[in-house]
Amino acid sequence: MNFTLKADHQKYKRANRDGYIAAMLELMKDDPSVVHIDCDLMGCINAGKLAAKYPERTFNAGIAEQNAMAAAGGMAATGMKVFVHSFAAFASRRDFDQAFLAAGYSRVPVHVIGSDPGVTAAFNGATHMPFEDGGLYMSIPNAIVLDSCDYVQTYSLTKKCAAQPEITYMRLIRKGFKTIYEDGADFEIGKGAVLREGSDVTIIASGIMLDEALKAQEILEGKGISAKVIDMFTWKPIDEELIVKSAEETGCIVTAENHQVGCGLGSAVANVLVKKKPVPMEMIGIQNRFGQVGDQDFLMKEYNLLADDIVKAAERAISRK
Amino acid sequence: MERSMTAELTKEKLHDLRVFAEEIRLETLKIIRSRGFGHVGGSMSLADLMAVLYGEVMHIDPSNPRMKDRDWFVLSKGHGGPVMYATLGLKGYYPVSDAYQLNRPGTRFPSHTDRSLTPGVELTTGSLGQGISEAVGAALGFKTQGTGNHVYVCIGDGESDEGEVWEAAQFAAHYKLDNLTCFVDNNRYQLDGPVSEVMSHGKGIGAKFDAEGWHVIDVRDGNDVAQIYAAAAEALETKGVPTCVILNTIKGKGATFAEPVSAHSSQPTEEEWAEAVAAEEARLAAVRKA
Ligand SMILES: Cc1ncc(C[n+]2csc(CCOP(=O)(O)OP(=O)(O)O)c2C)c(N)n1
Ligand SMILES: [Mg+2]
């Protein structure tokens, strides 16, 4: 793993989906067994670029996610590496039995891309807003589950997925969100990235919550509190060693996720702490609620996903030491 | 109560329905314009169906949206929400301008129809394929209870890719749900392009419903209120099997920025919005005069 944090995290000029497409164009060029299957949402992630260059390996299954997923499993069983995309809600809830059996249990390389995770589904509203997609995939015993944050990370992780022999699931923010990493960063599945060192509290975040975590770290610094920040882009298998080490160093933990805390990053971290190093812990994320329609800024506020919420959680965790 | 319809509409009623359809189009545009972007294409293709159902066919009472013996309409292609909000508003379920809160924080008018939020919306849709299953369940519920409620549902031609649509079709025929009418908005486009290129439908959506044992009516011009009305009347008369009405419609019909390109969702400029609204106002005035 090797990466450099961008000095200022501002709105990204490149859309994350283009990180996926850029990686796929290289993968498809180098490896004739790599294919992309879509579910009438090619336009949403610019997969037309794949279809233009590799029409014989880019497929549109139509609005039929269950068939697409099981077909991906069957295709993968013949020796192909199959990436399959839909909105995260439909790439998880809608076709879960197929993902579980035809891909997971069958132990074949199906790589699921779920776009618009959590509040990034924004104007598509409740039916399109998955807060449990990561949890569903984490319940598949052999699945790798990722929550990517920006173009650079999406590019790197797409390549890492292609090298995995069994099922992977990556949450993909479609549009440009915030720049976290300088170009050329390389990430290792299963290892958290330490973005800031600190001694009073550790903030473990991923995806759109990283930007809030970094802002929270600055606010805390102003209050004389030293926070460590980790990008835990791999939710499963979770980096136990780093969690335990951070708990030992800082004595308390705050997690931050764009997902239900009860079945996502927070619970995965809690599982480790409870068994190996119990310390006070707070979880920022969706607290057992459904999605709703609205712009992303409103939703971040509505579900208490902002830097201020992380700051308060950090103070609570510290006070419980 | 047994439902019945007159076989043919009077000239006056026909005129009223044509006017209502254009009023729905105009309000649909205004509702989506209030947010600046949205699913214009799949909303505008349905204005004429909405006018016929809510203007003549359905047994409803806008002042009492929960009236026990009302007919139900389910927009299975839930992204067409705005056309439903326009229709319900114009019928008086709420002031139509309420729907200018489309997709705003805390709104009762989300992009996809939601039974918990909007008066007159019976079932929650948005995950394509599910609405027709829910509608089939509602029809079976009414049949089992021996009430006369009729269930109308509308699916998309892209939506018909979903296997669930065909599971619902076999179920409805198996249980002889003649209190169910399914309209197909056959506008020939889905999100990624023409239905024939993205995922074709073999011998056709109508042929598939026919194979499942449904009565199938093909409406040549699905944007013509008289033809839609005649099909709805035939559906009500059909006993022992559910009826499917294929509406051959035009995606984006009437929206100057959407119709020529069969756009699925649109984010036009202010000038394009102004042009579209002016064109629709002119059409409404012309239809009123006719
Ligand atoms: C299960 C599911 N998959 C994908 C989507 C995203 N989606 C919304 S509309 C649409 C295209 C619908 O095409 P069609 O049914 O033809 O609708 P219309 O042309 O009437 O707008 C897609 C893919 C969805 N809402 N639900
Ligand atoms: Mg269509």
Side-chain angles (χ1 to χ4, degrees):
Chain A
M1 191 147 56
N2 110 62
F3 61 85
T4 314
L5 208 51
K6 273 253 184 216
D8 55 340
H9 26 106
Q10 5 167 292
K11 180 124 172 90
Y12 217 166
K13 54 187 188 301
R14 286 174 300 187
N16 295 14
R17 58 188 167 203
D18 292 328
Y20 169 73
I21 297 298
M24 282 298 279
L25 284 170
E26 291 172 18
L27 285 165
M28 291 172 97
K29 173 165 167 272
D30 296 340
D31 182 349
S33 71
V34 174
V35 305
H36 175 95
I37 300 181
D38 217 299
C39 303
D40 196 28
L41 292 171
M42 290 179 63
C44 299
I45 58 161
N46 297 336
K49 288 184 186 160
L50 304 181
K53 196 95 202 252
Y54 302 101
E56 71 295 341
R57 278 185 284 140
T58 306
F59 304 96
N60 200 330
I63 312 167
E65 297 79 8
Q66 299 169 55
N67 177 65
M69 183 63 73
M75 221 173 162
T78 70
M80 306 205 84
K81 296 168 185 149
V82 186
F83 285 77
V84 53
H85 165 252
S86 184
F87 285 153
F90 310 126
S92 58
R93 298 199 291 250
R94 190 64 187 240
D95 52 17
F96 187 64
D97 192 43
Q98 287 78 8
F100 195 99
L101 294 177
Y105 182 61
S106 298
R107 300 192 170 276
V108 291
V110 170
H111 307 299
V112 185
I113 305 296
S115 59
D116 282 0
V119 296
T120 67
F123 298 112
N124 272 330
T127 53
H128 289 52
M129 194 167 288
F131 292 144
E132 61 295 308
D133 54 313
L136 283 165
Y137 274 97
M138 288 201 304
S139 72
I140 302 177
N142 56 343
I144 287 169
V145 179
L146 307 166
D147 188 28
S148 75
C149 69
D150 71 5
Y151 177 100
V152 173
Q153 189 173 64
T154 303
Y155 171 87
S156 170
L157 290 179
T158 302
K159 293 222 157 165
K160 296 294 158 76
C161 285
Q164 292 298 323
E166 298 189 10
I167 186 168
T168 66
Y169 175 69
M170 179 158 69
R171 308 180 93 206
L172 172 75
I173 306 160
R174 263 202 287 162
K175 312 239 162 99
F177 187 56
K178 293 287 167 64
T179 308
I180 304 291
Y181 297 105
E182 295 281 6
D183 276 19
D186 178 67
F187 298 92
E188 201 178 318
I189 288 175
K191 291 271 174 260
V194 179
L195 305 189
R196 298 256 211 270
E197 288 292 354
S199 52
D200 297 325
V201 59
T202 303
I203 304 168
I204 300 178
S206 65
I208 60 166
M209 296 308 293
L210 271 181
D211 183 54
E212 300 301 322
L214 289 167
K215 279 191 239 163
Q217 185 267 341
E218 284 163 22
I219 299 170
L220 287 165
E221 195 168 52
K223 297 181 167 206
I225 296 170
S226 161
K228 177 174 181 173
V229 179
I230 294 172
D231 176 0
M232 197 65 88
F233 55 85
T234 311
W235 289 8
K236 188 184 177 185
I238 195 97
D239 188 346
E240 296 200 6
E241 213 179 279
L242 182 59
I243 294 170
V244 172
K245 183 164 168 275
S246 303
E248 281 165 356
E249 279 171 15
T250 66
C252 65
I253 305 268
V254 173
T255 55
E257 66 197 291
N258 170 28
H259 190 276
Q260 297 283 6
V261 297
C263 62
L265 177 61
S267 49
V269 171
N271 265 334
V272 176
L273 291 178
V274 163
K275 282 183 279 192
K276 305 218 162 136
K277 179 71 191 161
V279 294
M281 178 183 173
E282 295 283 335
M283 299 183 196
I284 293 297
I286 311 303
Q287 312 287 339
N288 201 32
R289 289 178 65 190
F290 288 111
Q292 63 182 302
V293 81
D295 59 83
Q296 194 171 311
D297 288 346
F298 159 72
L299 294 167
M300 297 281 288
K301 198 162 169 228
E302 172 72 15
Y303 292 101
N304 303 107
L305 300 179
L306 295 171
D308 275 344
D309 301 304
I310 299 176
V311 167
K312 282 185 210 135
E315 289 171 335
R316 279 199 305 275
I318 291 168
S319 75
R320 288 171 49 207
K321 273 192 200 176
Chain B
M1 190 185 69
E2 268 292 303
R3 298 282 188 262
S4 65
M5 284 168 63
T6 53
E8 245 180 85
L9 284 169
T10 61
K11 269 212 163 81
E12 293 71 39
K13 285 212 162 142
L14 204 52
H15 177 262
D16 290 350
L17 287 186
R18 290 200 172 114
V19 170
F20 188 29
E22 298 312 331
E23 287 172 345
I24 292 171
R25 280 210 164 78
L26 182 58
E27 278 305 331
T28 301
L29 286 175
K30 287 186 179 173
I31 288 167
I32 301 176
R33 187 188 191 180
S34 72
R35 197 63 193 78
F37 53 88
H39 295 113
V40 174
S43 294
M44 296 297 272
S45 54
L46 284 181
D48 312 284
L49 172 67
M50 299 306 282
V52 171
L53 289 182
Y54 282 88
E56 269 308 318
V57 173
M58 283 167 58
H59 178 59
I60 48 165
D61 178 1
S63 68
N64 183 11
R66 298 264 163 231
M67 180 175 72
K68 264 239 163 309
D69 68 340
R70 70 188 184 277
D71 290 338
W72 283 30
F73 176 74
V74 180
L75 186 60
S76 188
K77 37 164 282 190
H79 58 282
V83 78
M84 205 167 165
Y85 304 150
T87 308
L88 294 171
L90 288 166
K91 285 301 285 183
Y93 284 79
Y94 43 79
V96 71
S97 58
D98 282 11
Y100 299 170
Q101 291 298 310
L102 182 75
N103 289 343
R104 297 282 172 191
T107 189
R108 290 194 298 147
F109 301 90
S111 51
H112 299 76
T113 45
D114 189 323
R115 76 189 299 262
S116 310
L117 295 177
T118 318
V121 170
E122 306 287 3
L123 293 169
T124 296
T125 58
S127 184
L128 293 169
Q130 270 191 41
I132 181 171
S133 286
E134 294 173 70
V136 162
L140 183 61
F142 290 133
K143 224 182 186 25
T144 304
Q145 295 169 82
T147 55
N149 316 55
H150 198 92
V151 178
Y152 295 91
V153 56
C154 176
I155 62 174
D157 48 359
E159 179 179 15
S160 302
D161 294 347
E162 287 285 1
E164 185 173 4
V165 168
W166 307 106
E167 295 173 26
Q170 76 189 11
F171 183 100
H174 181 80
Y175 285 105
K176 304 183 170 48
L177 299 180
D178 50 11
N179 60 338
L180 177 77
T181 305
C182 177
F183 293 92
V184 181
D185 186 2
N186 200 32
N187 59 25
R188 302 193 327 283
Y189 282 84
Q190 54 195 99
L191 193 145
D192 276 336
V195 170
S196 59
E197 286 171 27
V198 175
M199 185 52 61
S200 45
H201 285 294
K203 291 179 179 168
I205 295 172
K208 287 178 165 181
F209 273 100
D210 179 67
E212 290 293 354
W214 288 50
H215 177 54
V216 179
I217 305 170
D218 193 75
V219 170
R220 202 148 49 87
D221 181 355
N223 294 114
D224 180 277
V225 292
Q227 292 181 42
I228 300 169
Y229 181 88
E234 184 178 325
L236 264 197
E237 269 163 37
T238 304
K239 299 295 171 206
V241 292
T243 297
C244 166
V245 180
I246 307 285
L247 299 173
N248 296 296
T249 56
I250 291 171
K251 193 155 179 167
K253 169 104 177 159
T256 45
F257 53 80
E259 182 180 331
V261 288
S262 308
H264 181 71
S265 57
S266 312
Q267 184 159 16
T269 62
E270 247 325 293
E271 297 81 74
E272 287 170 320
W273 270 122
E275 186 194 349
V277 168
E280 189 49 49
E281 278 167 346
R283 196 161 28 245
L284 173 57
V287 171
R288 275 206 177 113
K289 247 193 246 153

